């Protein structure tokens, strides 16, 4: 995988603008990770940051089940059920923090509603894994 920085585009974005995956690689597509605990309850109702933490933990678990890690992710889409930009930024900081120095291309969206009761955050990802897994 190669994360591509684009000098002709703003460096304000805290992610790569593109990523390439050279064969051979196994692609892993996740469903949207939701802020649910093991019993299916929505955690941290009303708290987008708390939900983002649970979402990223759940995303790591789903990736691990497929033999992948966060550092294998080549693209994310982050959904926040809010029209407030500060909520989106707060969630993005949690997501970015979970990735550490790995900054895959990402899309951050404010949406009207998500699928579960009290759900404010969802993150889906595409990962590329080399070798067996």
């Amino acid at each position: 995988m190669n994360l591509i920085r684009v000098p002709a585009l703003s460096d304000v974005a805290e992610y790569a603008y593109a990523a390439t995956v050279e064969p051979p690689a196994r692609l892993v597509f996740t469903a949207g990770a939701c802020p649910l605990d093991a019993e299916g309850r929505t955690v941290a109702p009303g708290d987008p940051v708390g939900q983002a933490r649970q979402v990223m933990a759940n995303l790591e678990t789903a990736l691990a089940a497929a033999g992948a890690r966060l550092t294998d992710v080549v693209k994310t889409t982050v959904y926040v059920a809010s029209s407030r930009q500060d909520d989106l930024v707060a969630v993005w900081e949690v997501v970015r923090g979970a990735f550490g120095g790995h900054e895959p291309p990402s899309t951050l969206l404010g949406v009207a509603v998500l699928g579960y009761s009290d759900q404010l955050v969802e993150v889906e990802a595409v990962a590329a894994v080399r070798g067996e897994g």
Side-chain angles (χ1 to χ4, degrees):
M1 161 194 2
N2 184 26
L3 297 181
I4 300 170
R5 310 285 178 203
V6 183
L9 297 174
S10 171
D11 64 357
V12 171
E14 298 172 315
Y15 49 81
Y17 277 100
T20 60
V21 177
E22 300 299 326
R26 180 174 54 86
L27 295 179
V28 176
F29 298 84
T30 71
C34 298
L36 304 178
D37 65 15
E39 287 75 43
R41 295 179 300 242
T42 302
V43 302
D47 178 9
V49 168
Q51 289 196 6
R53 289 186 187 113
Q54 182 70 43
V55 162
M56 293 310 292
N58 290 350
L59 179 60
E60 281 191 87
T61 299
L63 287 167
R69 300 177 314 238
L70 286 177
T71 54
D72 297 317
V73 170
V74 296
K75 173 75 172 90
T76 66
T77 305
V78 180
Y79 302 93
V80 183
S82 178
S83 61
R84 296 173 22 141
Q85 189 174 32
D86 58 334
D87 287 341
L88 275 70
V89 170
V91 167
W92 176 248
E93 288 174 356
V94 172
V95 171
R96 193 176 119 241
F99 279 102
H102 181 67
E103 298 177 330
S106 188
T107 300
L108 175 62
L109 302 165
V111 298
V113 67
L114 291 167
Y116 292 102
S117 294
D118 299 317
Q119 180 183 2
L120 299 173
V121 179
E122 188 164 331
V123 177
E124 63 184 23
V126 177
V129 181
R130 298 254 181 243
E132 293 300 311

